[in-house]
């Protein structure tokens, strides 16, 4: 008769299980005087493994993995033997049940093990379960008999309390079988990252905590990769068919922290409040149609300049302090190079900060950001140039109704979406979902990566090219092949920012998400039109999700829920109630920024390993604010960036806070060519418009008639296009107001460096507010269209071309 061990070995051989990548999903922790024993099993309860952690060393971490694979019966026998062998020293005691190791950390003497003791299912992606942490526990490793007084010292307890203030039950999530730190498109693109390399990516927050165990074991079977941000999933019904809508926000661990302590960019090109948002739409197989998946990614992040604000009990709106130490914008260049490496081109920047102010604050950054983009674009060519768009959301929201503001943002989003596209992938019904993703990627999945390389944008020419992928992840079921046909791929990304990248940014991200949602439903065959009416129940559900995401991200970075005036107005909420709510949130944010964010920042630095406590070195709370470097084992050393002589300021002088990163990759820009960037000469419109040129002290207006300048005089080289001809400061930015005017005229010299794309119909689309919308049931109003919105070779107006071709911004 076959033994339990032989059954396990037979299962491993028959199913081709990779033991290094086989994830344990449930654990039982036992202790003796000399060791912790962690018994873990996989999801199928077939494979059992044992981890041994030494407890006799007061300040060292010694972890050993038993290479033997056990059955459940053999584990019980092993526990009995351990218990009998340790009777003289207290025997064997059960400690807790857990669902993964978050990591290990040491402060002044003992190591601690951080465990997930309760988990909660919050969703699934293609059959792969996503979990949140419901409860965690910090377990000291050394036995009480070997600990010294240092383990019970006041400083040690203070460090423990500080670490535990990072609430792991809020906004952290993970998966055993799906790489939730990556977008859907990247997961299907053969990125070839496995094991430890997954933890080193920018969205995994416990990489530092897991470094020790991974170095010892050379696998990630016992740990989970935590992503911090937001996850929400809802099921929707459209015309009797079910779809699954998921919003994921992934917060970067680089330059992470709180609102006033982390601003702008650091020397490595990492920005504060850097968040990637992914919108996934999934439709199961139906009536012979294959399972279908679609996703869209957009990002937000602080303005990539060296700037800061200092919270003050006496100032509700602290001064914006701009450092001039990076005159060549090298850090800004690194930042956008990293974006191009991650997402491809084009990089579209939507800047929402104010155009004019009584006291210069945001406008200081506005002008410098424009200078930075112009400097970077001088060294880039063609499709690699940054597309830069400025739109003063604050001004428009004061002057217009919420519906109009969202409509205008929707038009911007629609055209930005044409540049980047979305990801869409139908999959044949015989796909075993649990084989689609996983921590272990076979070489076969690279065929999808080859398809991505060939088709870096929406390309309908590849719809008949079918790709076979075989069993890249085995979760215990039978092995089956499946077929994937990626038809649309996202190339490039929309980057949105305001000052905090919270309130205004979230409104713009919703508008972009709504435009993408329409395109996703069209790609999945649920709608004939890519447009969804803002009054459609689907749009309202999406707005609720983005509002929830905005509140969550605002709490993490700003200390209060987001200001949602536009969303409240759109819902018709009582104005007095909205004002009361906004006041409460303003005061809450002010209090947390002024009095609580210091400790919150220290806790984040401790969790991420940016500060590592050492005996004989200054304690974390003895350092001023966040003015220390990430020093690894070298310990913390305060370093203040003395930039008083080079600060361009609005009201008062101060120092810039700075930090250096521990994890930095070499940046290289990949050249992606989007099919929509089709070369074609266009003629100028004969309509007239005003062009306002603004200098720091002089504002000179000129008018164009018939495509020629009436007045060629210009006091500076900054150009701003404004619908009403009103002046705006330091306008290297292209104001999007012109998108909503009836006609546009530009001098030929303004366009001679651009590759132009023309279409007579886009002018009508820009001015026509009666575009076909999806109806209440989700189906579309049928109207004849000359071109599908996302079709290759889509045409553009000359005015839109002036926006997307960055070289036209600067004369």
């Amino acid at each position: 008769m076959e033994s339990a061990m032989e059954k396990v070995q037979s299962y491993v051989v028959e199913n081709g299980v990779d033991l290094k990548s086989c994830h344990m999903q449930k654990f039982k922790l036992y202790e003796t005087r000399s060791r912790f024993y962690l018994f873990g099993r996989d999801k199928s309860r077939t494979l059992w493994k044992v981890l041994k952690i030494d407890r006799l060393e007061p300040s060292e971490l010694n972890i050993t993995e038993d290479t033997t694979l056990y059955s459940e019966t053999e584990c019980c026998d092993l526990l009995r033997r351990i218990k009998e062998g340790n009777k003289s020293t207290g025997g064997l005691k059960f400690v807790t049940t857990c669902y993964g190791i978050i990591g290990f950390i040491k402060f002044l003497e003992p190591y601690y093990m951080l465990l997930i003791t309760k988990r909660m299912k919050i969703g699934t992606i293609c059959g792969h379960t996503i979990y949140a942490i419901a409860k965690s526990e910090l377990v000291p490793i050394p036995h009480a008999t070997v600990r010294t007084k240092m383990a019970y010292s006041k400083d040690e307890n203070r460090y423990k309390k500080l670490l535990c203030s990072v609430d792991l039950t809020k906004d952290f999530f993970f998966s055993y079988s799906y790489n939730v730190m990556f977008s859907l498109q990247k997961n299907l693109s053969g990125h070839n990252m496995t094991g430890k390399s997954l933890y080193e990516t920018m969205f995994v927050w416990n990489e530092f905590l897991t470094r020790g165990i991974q170095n010892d074991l050379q696998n990630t079977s016992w740990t989970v990769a935590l992503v911090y941000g937001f996850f929400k999933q809802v099921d929707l019904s459209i015309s009797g068919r079910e779809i699954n809508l998921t919003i994921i926000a992934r917060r970067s661990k680089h330059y992470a922290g709180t609102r006033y302590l982390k601003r702008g960019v650091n020397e490595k090109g990492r920005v504060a409040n850097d968040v990637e948002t992914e919108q996934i739409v999934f439709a199961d197989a139906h009536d012979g149609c294959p399972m279908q998946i679609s996703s869209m990614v957009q990002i937000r992040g602080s303005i990539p300049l060296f700037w800061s604000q200092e919270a003050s009990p006496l100032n509700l709106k602290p001064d914006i302090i701009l450092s001039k130490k990076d005159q060549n914008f090298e850090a800004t260049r690194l930042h956008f190079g990293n974006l191009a490496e991650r997402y491809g081109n084009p990089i579209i920047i939507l800047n929402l900060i104010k155009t004019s102010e009584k006291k210069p604050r945001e406008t200081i950054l506005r002008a410098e950001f424009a200078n930075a983009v112009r400097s970077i674009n001088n060294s880039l060519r063609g499709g690699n140039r940054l597309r830069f768009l400025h739109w003063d959301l604050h001004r428009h929201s004061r002057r217009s109704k919420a519906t109009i503001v969202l409509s205008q943002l929707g038009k911007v989003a629609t055209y930005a979406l044409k540049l980047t596209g979305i990801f869409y992938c139908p999959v044949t019904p015989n796909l075993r979902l649990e084989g689609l993703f996983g921590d272990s990627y076979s070489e076969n999945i690279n065929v999808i990566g080859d398809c991505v390389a060939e088709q870096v944008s929406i390309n309908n020419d590849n719809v008949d090219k079918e790709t076979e992928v075989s069993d890249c992840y085995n979760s215990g079921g039978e092995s089956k092949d499946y077929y994937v046909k990626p038809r649309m791929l996202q190339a490039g990304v929309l980057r949105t920012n305001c000052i905090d990248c919270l309130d205004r940014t979230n409104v713009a991200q919703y508008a972009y998400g709504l435009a993408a949602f329409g395109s996703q439903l069209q790609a999945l065959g649920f709608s004939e039109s890519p447009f969804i009416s803002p009054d459609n129940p689907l749009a309202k559900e999406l707005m609720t999700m983005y509002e929830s995401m905005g509140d969550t991200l605002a709490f993490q970075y700003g200390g209060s829920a987001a200001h949602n005036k536009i969303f409240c107005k759109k819902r018709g909420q009582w104005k007095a109630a909205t004002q009361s709510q906004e006041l409460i949130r303003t005061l809450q944010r002010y209090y947390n920024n002024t009095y609580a964010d210091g400790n919150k920042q220290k806790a984040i630095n401790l969790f991420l390993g940016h500060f590592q406590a050492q005996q004989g070195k200054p304690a974390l709370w003895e350092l001023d604010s966040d003015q220390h470097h990430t020093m690894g084992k070298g310990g913390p050393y305060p370093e203040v960036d003395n930039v008083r002589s080079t600060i361009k300021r609005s009201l008062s002088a101060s120092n810039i806070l700075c930090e250096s990163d521990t994890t930095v990759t070499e940046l290289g820009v990949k050249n992606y060519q989007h099919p929509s960037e089709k070369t074609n000469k266009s003629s100028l419109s004969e309509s007239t418009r005003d062009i306002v040129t603004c200098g720091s002290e002089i504002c000179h207006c000129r008018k164009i008639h018939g495509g020629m300048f009436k007045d060629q005089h210009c006091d500076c080289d900054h150009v701003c296009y404004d619908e009403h001809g009103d002046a705006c400061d330091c306008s290297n930015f292209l104001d999007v107001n012109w998108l909503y005017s009836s006609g546009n005229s530009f001098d030929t010299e303004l366009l001679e460096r651009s590759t132009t794309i023309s279409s007579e119909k886009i002018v009508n689309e820009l001015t026509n507010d009666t575009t076909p919308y999806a109806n209440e049931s989700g189906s579309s109003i049928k109207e004849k269209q000359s071109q599908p919105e996302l079709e290759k070779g889509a045409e553009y107006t000359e005015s839109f071309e002036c926006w997307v071709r960055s070289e036209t911004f600067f004369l």
Side-chain angles (χ1 to χ4, degrees):
M1 187 173 179
E2 190 177 25
S3 67
M5 179 55 115
E6 288 173 338
K7 288 182 179 179
V8 170
Q9 292 176 341
S10 176
Y11 173 84
V12 170
V13 173
E14 290 177 4
N15 293 277
V17 176
D18 183 353
L19 299 181
K20 286 189 175 183
S21 63
C22 177
H23 260 289
M24 305 291 103
Q25 296 197 18
K26 189 172 182 179
F27 308 86
K28 290 188 180 295
L29 182 66
Y30 298 86
E31 66 172 346
T32 65
R33 183 184 180 279
S34 59
R35 281 179 177 172
F36 277 117
Y37 292 90
L38 192 63
F39 286 75
R41 64 166 175 82
D42 66 350
K43 183 179 180 180
S44 64
R45 302 177 66 96
T46 306
L47 302 179
W48 294 74
K49 298 173 75 174
V50 180
L51 194 69
K52 304 172 185 177
I53 306 170
D54 182 70
R55 303 189 67 198
L56 298 180
E57 287 289 339
S59 60
E60 298 295 330
L61 182 64
N62 296 317
I63 304 174
T64 307
E65 183 181 38
D66 191 336
T67 57
T68 305
L69 293 178
Y70 295 93
S71 66
E72 189 170 2
T73 302
E74 290 168 333
C75 282
C76 293
D77 292 338
L78 180 60
L79 284 171
R80 281 195 292 269
R81 292 199 301 270
I82 294 173
K83 184 177 182 179
E84 291 173 1
N86 287 273
K87 279 185 178 180
S88 61
T89 56
L92 180 72
K93 298 178 182 177
F94 172 74
V95 179
T96 186
T97 298
C98 56
Y99 298 92
I101 298 175
I102 297 172
F104 296 83
I105 192 169
K106 173 184 176 181
F107 303 124
L108 298 177
E109 185 183 86
Y111 270 92
Y112 300 87
M113 178 167 51
L114 196 53
L115 300 173
I116 300 171
T117 52
K118 286 186 180 179
R119 66 185 181 186
M120 177 174 62
K121 180 179 177 180
I122 56 175
T124 60
I125 299 178
C126 299
H128 296 264
T129 304
I130 311 298
Y131 295 98
I133 300 173
K135 187 178 180 181
S136 63
E137 187 173 342
L138 189 66
V139 180
I141 299 296
H143 192 268
T145 58
V146 300
R147 299 179 208 164
T148 68
K149 291 182 179 180
M150 182 61 71
Y152 304 97
S153 67
K154 182 179 178 181
D155 284 354
E156 181 76 11
N157 289 330
R158 189 168 178 178
Y159 278 122
K160 285 168 59 180
K161 185 178 180 180
L162 196 59
L163 181 74
C164 291
S165 68
V166 178
D167 192 349
L168 296 173
T169 64
K170 287 185 178 179
D171 312 325
F172 284 91
F173 50 94
F174 66 95
S175 176
Y176 298 107
S177 56
Y178 178 79
N179 292 327
V180 73
M181 74 288 292
F182 295 136
S183 67
L184 183 69
Q185 179 170 318
K186 188 164 186 178
N187 270 317
L188 282 173
S189 298
H191 51 72
N192 291 324
M193 287 189 180
T194 59
K196 185 179 178 181
S197 62
L198 291 173
Y199 285 75
E200 294 171 349
T201 55
M202 66 185 294
F203 298 121
V204 177
W205 273 57
N206 60 328
E207 183 273 332
F208 166 72
L209 298 177
T210 59
R211 201 177 293 168
I213 183 174
Q214 290 176 10
N215 288 338
D216 285 349
L217 305 184
Q218 296 301 308
N219 68 59
T220 59
S221 298
W222 302 87
T223 58
V224 296
L226 294 185
V227 178
Y228 184 44
F230 175 83
F231 186 100
K232 187 171 184 179
Q233 190 170 79
V234 296
D235 292 322
L236 302 173
S237 179
I238 304 177
S239 302
R241 290 182 59 188
E242 299 294 323
I243 66 166
N244 181 277
L245 174 63
T246 306
I247 303 293
I248 306 173
R250 306 176 180 95
R251 182 175 292 280
S252 171
K253 67 184 176 186
H254 300 305
Y255 206 46
T258 57
R259 185 185 180 201
Y260 287 141
L261 294 177
K262 294 295 178 186
R263 288 294 215 195
V265 70
N266 68 9
E267 292 83 357
K268 304 298 183 182
R270 306 294 188 179
V271 295
N273 200 17
D274 188 354
V275 181
E276 176 186 273
T277 299
E278 183 176 21
Q279 180 174 298
I280 301 174
V281 180
F282 169 79
D284 214 337
H286 175 77
D287 294 338
C289 297
M291 180 188 80
Q292 300 177 91
I293 317 166
S294 177
S295 73
M296 173 277 296
V297 171
Q298 58 179 318
I299 59 173
R300 68 174 74 187
S302 188
I303 296 174
L305 302 170
F306 286 98
W307 64 283
S308 68
Q309 286 179 284
E310 292 188 358
S312 168
L314 304 177
N315 192 353
L316 197 63
K317 285 189 174 182
D319 304 340
I320 289 177
I321 305 164
L322 177 64
S323 170
K324 304 295 288 186
K325 69 176 183 178
D326 188 14
Q327 297 285 352
N328 296 323
F329 305 109
E330 293 301 328
T332 311
R333 199 180 306 272
L334 281 173
H335 172 68
F336 286 112
N338 177 264
L339 293 187
E341 185 178 71
R342 283 157 51 193
Y343 302 106
N345 287 304
I347 305 299
I348 306 165
I349 306 164
L350 178 56
N351 185 28
L352 302 173
I353 62 178
K354 294 178 182 178
T355 302
S356 60
E357 301 168 293
K358 291 181 180 179
K359 292 182 179 180
R361 296 178 70 256
E362 296 186 13
T363 50
I364 294 174
L365 294 178
R366 182 176 182 266
E368 192 72 357
F369 197 8
N371 291 334
V373 172
R374 177 171 57 180
S375 175
I376 293 169
N377 275 344
N378 285 339
S379 61
L380 299 176
R381 294 292 178 268
N384 291 339
R385 286 177 177 262
L386 304 175
R387 276 71 166 172
F388 197 37
L389 175 64
H390 177 79
W391 199 70
D392 187 344
L393 179 57
H394 180 265
R395 185 184 69 175
H396 285 274
S397 63
R398 289 198 311 171
R399 294 181 178 182
S400 306
K401 294 181 179 179
T403 302
I404 296 175
V405 172
L406 291 173
S407 176
Q408 291 175 337
L409 279 172
K411 291 178 181 179
V412 178
T414 297
Y415 287 101
L417 194 65
K418 286 183 179 180
L419 290 175
T420 63
I422 60 171
F423 174 74
Y424 166 61
C425 179
V427 187
T428 53
N430 68 332
L431 167 65
R432 178 170 55 84
L433 291 179
E434 291 185 340
L436 184 57
F437 310 99
D439 207 37
S440 176
Y441 288 82
S442 74
E443 294 180 0
N444 290 333
I445 202 169
N446 287 329
V447 295
I448 302 179
D450 295 338
C451 183
V452 172
E454 294 173 7
Q455 179 198 14
V456 295
S457 59
I458 301 170
N459 186 348
N460 291 328
D461 293 336
N462 282 351
V463 296
D464 295 325
K465 182 177 180 180
E466 193 166 85
T467 302
E468 180 176 349
V469 184
S470 301
D471 197 28
C472 65
Y473 176 81
N474 194 307
S475 62
E478 59 184 13
S479 176
K480 291 184 179 179
D481 292 345
Y482 56 88
Y483 299 91
V484 179
K485 295 168 65 177
R487 296 187 182 182
M488 298 180 179
L489 298 169
Q490 180 174 339
V493 72
L494 175 67
R495 183 196 193 276
T496 307
N497 73 266
C498 49
I499 289 296
D500 296 321
C501 301
L502 297 177
D503 313 318
R504 288 171 283 182
T505 294
N506 204 60
V507 173
Q509 288 208 326
Y510 160 69
Y512 191 72
L514 183 60
F517 192 28
S519 296
Q520 289 175 299
L521 293 180
Q522 184 188 44
L524 269 61
F526 286 88
S527 173
E528 295 179 6
S529 168
F531 297 100
I532 299 178
S533 167
D535 297 321
N536 190 301
L538 295 175
K540 293 178 180 179
E541 184 67 43
L542 188 71
M543 186 174 74
T544 300
M545 295 180 74
Y546 271 87
E547 188 174 5
S548 178
M549 179 186 73
D551 288 341
T552 299
L553 297 179
F555 265 115
Q556 294 168 7
Y557 182 65
S560 77
H563 293 289
N564 295 315
K565 287 188 289 186
I566 292 178
F567 291 149
C568 292
K569 289 179 182 178
K570 181 68 179 68
R571 283 194 300 266
Q573 188 170 318
W574 186 36
K575 186 175 181 180
T578 301
Q579 290 174 338
S580 176
Q581 173 184 286
E582 295 302 302
L583 176 60
I584 292 172
R585 292 181 178 183
T586 296
L587 295 175
Q588 184 181 14
R589 189 175 293 185
Y590 163 74
Y591 176 82
N592 285 323
N593 295 163
T594 305
Y595 300 105
D597 278 359
N599 282 335
K600 185 176 179 180
Q601 183 68 59
K602 290 178 174 64
I604 291 172
N605 291 339
L606 199 63
F607 187 87
L608 293 175
H610 294 335
F611 176 92
Q612 296 180 45
Q614 286 183 304
Q615 295 185 38
K617 298 290 184 181
L620 179 56
W621 45 87
E622 293 173 353
L623 301 176
D624 292 335
S625 187
D626 193 39
Q627 297 171 344
H628 61 81
H629 280 277
T630 303
M631 295 303 297
K633 291 187 177 181
Y637 294 95
E639 183 172 306
V640 179
D641 180 21
N642 186 9
V643 292
R644 290 187 185 274
S645 61
T646 59
I647 287 179
K648 181 178 179 180
R649 45 149 307 128
S650 56
L651 295 173
S652 64
S654 183
N655 287 342
I656 294 294
L657 305 180
C658 63
E659 179 196 42
S660 62
D661 269 318
T662 54
T663 307
V664 181
T665 58
E666 293 294 330
L667 301 180
V669 180
K670 297 181 180 179
N671 295 326
Y672 293 88
Q673 184 64 37
H674 198 285
S676 66
E677 297 178 355
K678 180 180 176 183
T679 303
N680 184 22
K681 290 288 183 181
S682 63
S683 59
L684 294 172
S685 169
E686 294 182 359
S687 58
T688 63
R689 66 169 295 104
D690 293 333
I691 295 185
V692 181
T693 64
C694 307
S696 56
E697 298 177 355
I698 310 169
C699 187
H700 177 75
C701 297
R702 56 184 174 172
K703 200 156 202 151
I704 301 177
H705 294 284
M708 296 297 293
F709 288 120
K710 281 290 185 181
D711 181 3
Q712 296 291 340
H713 175 68
C714 180
D715 291 298
C716 69
D717 60 353
H718 301 326
V719 179
C720 173
Y721 300 92
D722 191 274
E723 180 180 9
H724 306 292
D726 49 340
C728 53
D729 304 349
C730 307
S731 52
N732 284 43
F733 300 86
L734 179 61
D735 198 311
V736 78
N737 289 327
W738 55 265
L739 275 173
Y740 316 112
S741 61
S742 59
N744 301 283
S745 294
F746 299 92
D747 181 68
T748 306
E749 293 177 2
L750 207 64
L751 300 174
E752 65 183 1
R753 288 178 294 164
S754 302
T755 306
T756 58
I757 302 173
S758 66
S759 170
E760 294 296 326
K761 71 166 188 171
I762 300 298
V763 172
N764 296 327
E765 291 177 359
L766 290 172
T767 57
N768 184 6
D769 289 328
T770 59
T771 49
Y773 291 110
N775 62 23
E776 298 299 315
S777 66
S779 60
S780 64
I781 300 173
K782 297 182 180 179
E783 290 191 12
K784 186 175 180 180
Q785 295 182 334
S786 58
Q787 287 255 24
E789 281 294 318
L790 294 177
E791 191 176 26
K792 179 183 177 183
E795 298 177 337
Y796 298 84
T797 58
E798 188 173 327
S799 58
F800 179 66
E801 181 60 19
C802 288
W803 164 43
V804 300
R805 296 293 179 241
S806 58
E807 53 266 68
T808 66
F809 300 164
F810 314 112
L811 297 179

